[in-house]
Amino acid sequence: MNMMSEREASNRIEILIDQINHYNDLYYQQDISEISDHQFDMLLEELTQLEKDYPQFKLDYSPTQRVGGTVTKNFATVTHKYPMLSLGNTYSIDELKEFDGRVKKLLGHQNYRYFCELKFDGVALSITFQNGILIQAVTRGDGWRGDDITANARTIKTLPLKIHQPDLPELFEVRGEVFMPNQVFRQLNIDREAAGESPLANPRNTASGTLKMQDSQVVAQRKLDCYVYSLMEENQSYTTHSQSISALEKWGFNVSKTYGMCSNIEEVMDYIDRWEMLRLDLPLVTDGIVIKVDSFTDQQKLGFTAKSPRWAIAYKYKSENQQTVLRNISYHVGRTGAITPVANLEPVLLAGTTVKRASLHNANEIERLGLRIGDTVFIEKGGEIIPKITAIDLQKREADSKPVSFITECPECGTALQRQEGEAIHYCPNLKECPPQIKGRIQHFIQRSTMDIDSLGGRTIELLFNEGLLKTPADLFRLTYEDIFNLDGFKDLSTRNLLEGVENSKNASFERVLFALGIRYVGRTVAEKLAAYFKNIDNLATATLEELVEAPEIGDRIANSIQLFFQDPDNRQLVSQLKEAGLAFEVKQEAVNLVNAHLSGKSFVVSGVFESFGREEIKDTIKQYGGKVLSGISGNLDYLLAGDKMGPAKLKKAESLGVTIISEQDFISMIKSNGSNL
Ligand code: IVH
């Protein structure tokens, strides 16, 4: 660090920031990679080190801000320079025509056009740029004053932190909608459920909650995105909204390509029709469209009411809803003993599928709705996959019906349920003997992201459990050929397959085994962190509370749960039996010091099915040899590892981007070689 003068360090930091921001924006805005992932990581590493050595030169628009690190205790309240108004909205085409009539009348001419956009269902954000640098991001709040969440906004990869453009106004604000992509939301809930946490209700609330988190590092992991839809500046440089949108696109902002220009209200109606179904294929939830008069002069003429502009309106798509009758409520018991009430309905057709059930989340939800068995209810499909009950038709209620009272005993084992003070969820505390909890733990143990024993499914677990052969994951490794062959539906080949699947699972890495144990709150990411930090199970099992919270990102809640797990003699026995069976309870040497780092710096996308590896196993192997596994194909990808039954679209995309496509055999030779043929 003494090698460099302060001036050199400061210069180098600025150069690195500009370079990395440039590559980052190209990648996220235009899907272009000018350098490999590895080169990119090296630049970032150099910058991170320099910023550590010379903290006085750290800049707000440094890409290192993207990974977070700032913890804000209380967000400062900021008064908006331009208030963040709401939009008038309607569900009716007639009212839309009335809106058009008003516009025509107030403008006194017919020479106007509408710019139509989708209405993104997220959280509105106002972001200020000065001299091209993102200096502040504020939530809508009450429209006049919002929260300063700048550190969290900087983690949104598609928001530029610094813009180099000749025609940039010195000071401007962009408004946009922060959202959690549906896929990210689904994965988050899968991970939460795997860690025994309750699922989050919908992407919008999740995005909103995430933006208000105090630790921006956690925000960065939540992978929020942002579509930008307006530009505000003191001296308007453009005369129409469409021009300002083009400028935003040119400056590298993420503008959804779904907009359309319409010459009259009939064309607006065509736009509405066109997007009604197409919008369901978009990566986020949308609930309507926004229609804006394009000319700024016309917008000024039309002005505002107290709450909203007269030059714009939102048309909302009716979320499909239906009436049906609540037959009864059943209660599902999960792996962690959490009880989820489910509404069983008279089957009814909704948005193309027959609906028989709706989720009710927990006792509070039943109380909030005031449900009674036999009630006629309205059900709706929102952003969620399972429909929900939104309201009750009280007029149709039978006079003698009684409120639903939540069960007090586990429907599966009869144990009295418990509910912690302040918690919404009831739990069955009988984790040792309650059948769905036992089967759930085994199901969790074998699933793809843990031990990946795909020759074993829910039905077989049920059979083995009923035969008394399977009570803990350790029993899996004691199963004999006869045990399985004698089960209903098993033949020689399927029996051998199952045994082979169990045997192969012994290759799973320590972090997977740790995740598979099903310790509450220890999901995939937490398990990876714990494995990397504690290196083996004994270090983890004997760690004190203080030692546990020393580990990166481990808080009291997780630490307590780990301690509780290892205090239980049955769990300690399970671990020792699994150890005996040959499962990995320490990080592999290669994974730590990368002796065999043949694949170092190379990135892979894995697709299709393989002969000698499970899908997760092949990914682990790549990582073990120092390679990186990516989920999507882009220009900077090194290899597409193509198995059987791979989709043709992926192949085509890889070919068109010049990505090297390799077979399983090629891959095996690669890892066997010393890396010289890469
Ligand atoms: S323009 C004067 N365009 O809808 C308000 N808003 O109800 C101008 N929204 O707070 C807003 N997509 O959060 C605009 N394409 C879009 C939008 C959009 C979603 C949200 C935004 C706003 C709310 C207004």
Side-chain angles (χ1 to χ4, degrees), residues 83-89 116-125 140 175-177 228-230 241 287 289-290 292 304 307-309 311-312 314:
M84 292 182 81
L85 301 176
S86 57
L87 284 171
N89 67 51
C116 292
E117 295 161 12
L118 281 173
K119 190 167 191 306
F120 311 113
D121 198 11
V123 186
L125 194 65
R140 180 172 183 275
R175 298 265 164 97
E177 199 80 356
V228 161
Y229 50 65
S230 75
H241 177 63
D287 58 353
I289 67 162
V290 182
K292 303 175 180 174
F304 297 85
K307 281 187 303 192
S308 51
W311 45 263

Side-chain angles (χ1 to χ4, degrees), residues 19 49 184 211 270 282 319 334 357 379 465 473 481 548 568 643:
Q19 264 185 341
Q49 190 57 47
V184 175
L211 272 188
D270 289 344
L282 295 172
S319 67
R357 274 180 281 275
I379 57 166
F465 175 80
Y481 184 94
L548 284 164
D568 184 331

Side-chain angles (χ1 to χ4, degrees), residues 183-203:
Q183 207 198 342
V184 175
F185 175 73
R186 276 194 289 270
Q187 186 59 50
L188 179 64
N189 264 349
I190 291 172
D191 290 350
R192 283 178 68 92
E193 289 201 78
E197 293 173 290
S198 53
L200 298 161
N202 60 53

Side-chain angles (χ1 to χ4, degrees), residues 321-324 376-380 388-393:
N321 72 59
Q322 268 290 1
Q323 263 202 15
T324 184
T376 298
V377 294
F378 292 95
I379 57 166
E380 205 171 274
K388 61 178 180 198
I389 296 179
T390 52
I392 300 167
D393 188 342

Side-chain angles (χ1 to χ4, degrees), residues 84-122:
M84 292 182 81
L85 301 176
S86 57
L87 284 171
N89 67 51
T90 175
Y91 288 91
S92 122
I93 291 289
D94 284 341
E95 282 182 17
L96 196 61
K97 288 184 185 155
E98 285 168 23
F99 163 80
D100 182 52
R102 280 197 302 277
V103 168
K104 197 175 294 171
K105 196 166 152 214
L106 286 169
L107 287 180
H109 67 83
Q110 301 197 15
N111 213 359
Y112 56 89
R113 299 203 291 176
Y114 289 118
F115 193 82
C116 292
E117 295 161 12
L118 281 173
K119 190 167 191 306
F120 311 113
D121 198 11

